[in-house]
């Protein structure tokens, strides 16, 4: 893994993952090392050999979730997007095999097949946080200063 930081007109971070690098784990490492408190993942592309997501399967609350896993299955990673709030990423991915396209909440355990490239734009003045609402759902809010 390697990452590059542009400072100036807003801070931007580009992450390059190589074969065998873990996707979410590497993003979390860069968030910690580059001190990215709040931001947005604006782009993520590449290939995966192992993929793990979670998806909701009900419209009632509490939600029932499933955690599909594809191990040793080549997947094209078409998109990663989401918010980083108070150092915590909430990311979703879109990926495909030759037959189907899938999407869901990015989970630990996704491994880079050939390469992945991720772009993060850092919020320098907007401070965010997540708080549980009455149903236990983590809601995004502006942080109280």
């Amino acid at each position: 893994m390697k990452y590059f930081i542009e400072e100036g007109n807003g801070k931007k971070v580009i992450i390059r993952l190589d074969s065998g690098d873990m996707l979410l784990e590497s993003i979390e490492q860069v968030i910690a090392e580059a001190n990215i408190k709040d931001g947005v993942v604006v782009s993520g592309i590449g290939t995966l050999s192992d993929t793990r997501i979670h998806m909701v399967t009900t419209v009632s609350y509490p939600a029932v979730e499933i955690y599909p896993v594809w191990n040793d299955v080549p997947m094209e990673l078409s998109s990663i997007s989401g918010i980083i709030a108070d150092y915590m990423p909430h990311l979703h991915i879109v990926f495909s095999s030759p037959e189907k396209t899938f999407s869901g909440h990015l989970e630990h355990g996704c491994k880079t097949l050939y390469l992945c490239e991720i772009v993060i734009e850092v919020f320098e003045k907007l401070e965010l946080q997540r708080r549980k609402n009455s149903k236990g759902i983590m809601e995004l809010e502006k942080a109280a200063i």
Side-chain angles (χ1 to χ4, degrees):
M1 175 190 66
K2 192 167 189 170
Y3 62 95
F4 316 93
I5 299 175
E6 178 195 47
E7 306 256 9
N9 188 17
K11 182 176 176 181
K12 294 164 191 70
V13 179
I14 297 175
I15 305 169
R16 182 195 80 205
L17 301 183
D18 301 313
S19 182
D21 287 340
M22 302 306 288
L23 182 55
L24 181 55
E25 293 85 341
S26 296
I27 293 170
E28 290 172 334
Q29 181 180 342
V30 171
I31 288 170
E33 289 179 7
N35 194 33
I36 302 171
K37 186 172 189 282
D38 301 292
V40 60
V41 175
V42 295
S43 176
I45 59 169
T47 56
L48 300 171
S49 62
D50 296 356
T51 310
R52 183 170 192 250
I53 61 172
H54 88 254
M55 312 165 82
V56 297
T57 61
T58 59
V59 294
S60 59
Y61 186 82
V64 175
E65 299 174 321
I66 60 171
Y67 290 79
V69 176
W70 297 263
N71 288 325
D72 296 318
V73 178
M75 295 285 189
E76 285 291 328
L77 175 60
S78 300
S79 176
I80 306 171
S81 60
I83 299 287
I84 300 163
D86 199 20
Y87 300 101
M88 298 297 298
H90 176 203
L91 306 176
H92 286 240
I93 65 173
V94 178
F95 59 100
S96 63
S97 70
E99 297 82 27
K100 293 183 180 180
T101 300
F102 306 92
S103 69
H105 184 97
L106 177 61
E107 290 291 331
H108 292 103
C110 296
K111 188 186 296 182
T112 303
L113 177 57
Y114 300 119
L115 66 87
C116 288
E117 298 170 338
I118 301 104
V119 180
I120 299 172
E121 186 167 345
V122 179
F123 301 148
E124 295 182 2
K125 295 181 182 175
L126 178 62
E127 292 193 28
L128 302 170
Q129 64 186 15
R130 295 190 189 279
R131 289 196 179 148
K132 285 186 181 182
N133 68 14
S134 61
K135 292 184 176 181
I137 298 169
M138 297 299 285
E139 291 182 337
L140 185 64
E141 296 180 347
K142 188 173 179 180
I145 297 176

